[in-house]
Amino acid sequence: MTIHERYRLSVVINAKGTYTPLGVSRSSDGVAEAVAQALPEFFVMDELGDRASEAIAQVTGAQAGAVVHCTAAGITLAVAATMTGGDPRRTAALPDATDMHNRVVLPACQVIDYGHTNLQGIRLAGAQVDLAGDEDGCTIAELEDELDGPDVACLMLVASRLTRGEPIDLVAAVRAAHRRGVPAIVDAAAQFPRIADLLASGADLVLVSGQKYLGSPTAGLVAGSWPLVQALRAQEKGIGRVMKPTKEAIVGVLAALEEWQAFDRVKWEADELAKVDAFVAAASRIPDVTAEAVQDPTGLQVSRVLLKVADAKRLATELEAGTPSIYVMTDRMAEGELMLELIPLDDEEIATILARLWAVLT
Ligand SMILES: *Cc1c(COP(=O)(O)O)cnc(C)c1O
């Protein structure tokens, strides 16, 4: 009996990317085995935290690292770290931020919703958000205006395909914060493969989700400067209590990081591109369908399949309604476009998607 049969759960083919409501990603057998080995054991949790810090530092080039429950938790705890500096009295007082710098500057075009908005993720620490620029963009001068205000705790930046407007020059934004003695935090939840590049911007902390492109159990990875990572880990005795990582998640992250380092990236990227190209060729044979391969807009070495059809909404609805349910990216559905991410899918699942496209569209 499969796990889906045992608990009466829908079987899903996930072509929607690293999407939280569908279980995000598939872990490898090696990661699953490490998690299974961890579950029946006891550990000194601080030691696990130290090993995770060393492993994150080694893989990313950062001074230190930490694992927290997820990236949403990482946002709250990174803000708390800048507000408290890890001071025990202040850490215990949050979210009461009396006598602390608690203003967080965030570009208005980087207010995003990944299930809740990052505004709430920031405010959970007891911080207030000052938005810079507007929905269509934020210049460095506009950022500087907000950074010049009183009581600024940190600058929060988001590296994601969910942001709007012109991309912000990360290096210039981080410099603007540092000129005022303010730390810069980058939320890059779906950008694990680019974490070293993002740290090279000079950011003090970079946050990524383990369960997205690293394929670990649900976990937020934090990489950055030694003092700020220690201040973040200190939140475990404060608001971080409700955002703590499990032992199995930390062991799963350690195993996933080991696999990542052993892994042939160049071959993987070529294989994934071949998968996308083969799908595009096959989908282009369906009458009235235009298919093309498109590169991730944020610099991730990932290609996706773009399908253009007359009635994208009807197609997406019918794909989801079938058995198994097929989920695709629907951000630009109103424009007649559906996007598919094939990374976690095997040949059989890809064949099922193509067969269903034929059945629905012809
Ligand atoms: C997914 C995502 C998050 C939330 O990550 P979790 O690990 O699910 O908490 C935050 N920010 C961005 C940009 C995301 O893509």
Side-chain angles (χ1 to χ4, degrees):
M1 217 193 249
T2 68
I3 199 141
H4 292 83
E5 289 163 351
R6 184 164 161 199
Y7 296 115
R8 291 176 291 109
L9 301 167
S10 306
V11 176
V12 167
I13 295 180
N14 175 24
K16 204 175 172 75
T18 55
Y19 185 58
T20 306
L22 294 178
V24 195
S25 65
R26 280 179 159 146
S27 293
S28 68
D29 292 346
V31 170
E33 204 173 297
V35 168
Q37 277 177 18
L39 278 167
E41 301 295 338
F42 295 110
F43 302 98
V44 175
M45 289 303 289
D46 278 341
E47 273 178 16
L48 264 184
D50 291 345
R51 290 301 98 74
S53 177
E54 290 156 16
I56 292 168
Q58 206 209 335
V59 170
T60 65
Q63 289 174 359
V67 177
V68 296
H69 181 71
C70 61
T71 298
I75 292 168
T76 305
L77 296 177
V79 169
T82 65
M83 287 167 57
T84 62
D87 171 68
R89 185 191 60 77
R90 289 181 160 179
T91 295
L94 290 188
D96 180 346
T98 311
D99 89 1
M100 299 178 218
H101 290 338
N102 77 332
R103 296 194 165 275
V104 173
V105 176
L106 173 73
C109 52
Q110 297 191 344
V111 174
I112 58 167
D113 191 321
Y114 42 80
H116 74 172
T117 73
N118 51 349
L119 295 174
Q120 189 173 30
I122 295 166
R123 289 202 328 262
L124 262 171
Q128 290 181 41
V129 186
D130 277 346
L131 294 178
D134 62 27
E135 288 211 348
D136 300 321
C138 174
T139 64
I140 298 300
E142 286 170 326
L143 211 53
E144 288 182 318
D145 280 348
E146 294 302 332
L147 288 166
D148 282 336
D151 301 337
V152 177
C154 65
L155 168 65
M156 177 71 64
L157 298 162
V158 182
S160 161
R161 61 182 186 87
L162 301 175
T163 61
R164 291 172 309 273
E166 275 293 295
I168 296 170
D169 179 345
L170 219 55
V171 174
V174 170
R175 279 204 194 121
H178 286 176
R179 272 199 295 278
R180 287 154 184 82
V182 171
I185 298 162
V186 179
D187 166 15
Q191 309 255 306
F192 172 77
R194 293 188 60 225
I195 190 167
D197 294 346
L198 294 164
L199 281 161
S201 72
D204 300 86
L205 292 178
V206 176
L207 318 174
V208 299
S209 297
Q211 76 276 18
K212 290 184 175 173
Y213 291 107
L214 180 60
S216 78
T218 296
L221 276 65
V222 180
S225 78
W226 179 269
L228 218 43
V229 169
Q230 304 320 307
L232 182 137
R233 285 182 68 183
Q235 305 308 307
E236 281 170 21
K237 295 196 170 65
I239 60 173
R241 172 71 197 190
V242 296
M243 307 175 197
K244 61 184 173 296
T246 61
K247 61 186 178 183
E248 64 274 18
I250 302 177
V251 169
V253 165
L254 288 171
L257 288 172
E258 269 175 20
E259 283 186 5
W260 175 263
Q261 281 191 294
F263 176 70
D264 183 346
R265 276 296 308 153
V266 176
K267 181 179 181 307
W268 182 86
E269 282 169 16
D271 290 350
E272 290 304 320
L273 194 57
K275 211 157 119 184
V276 168
D277 287 342
F279 191 101
V280 165
S284 299
R285 286 184 211 113
I286 305 171
D288 302 321
V289 172
T290 311
E292 59 183 286
V294 293
Q295 184 75 30
D296 175 83
T298 61
L300 211 57
Q301 293 304 311
V302 166
S303 294
R304 303 188 177 95
V305 177
L306 176 64
L307 290 183
K308 293 185 189 163
V309 293
D311 192 347
K313 186 159 194 288
R314 185 182 76 95
L315 177 56
T317 306
E318 296 208 14
L319 289 174
E320 274 184 38
T323 309
S325 278
I326 298 170
Y327 287 83
V328 302
M329 294 177 173
T330 52
D331 317 2
R332 289 182 47 80
M333 187 162 70
E335 287 80 26
E337 296 183 357
L338 297 178
M339 190 90 84
L340 286 80
E341 185 166 307
L342 305 181
I343 293 171
L345 304 183
D346 62 26
D347 292 346
E348 202 182 318
E349 289 170 316
I350 288 176
T352 302
I353 299 177
L354 285 164
R356 287 275 288 288
L357 288 175
W358 274 100
V360 174
L361 292 169
T362 63

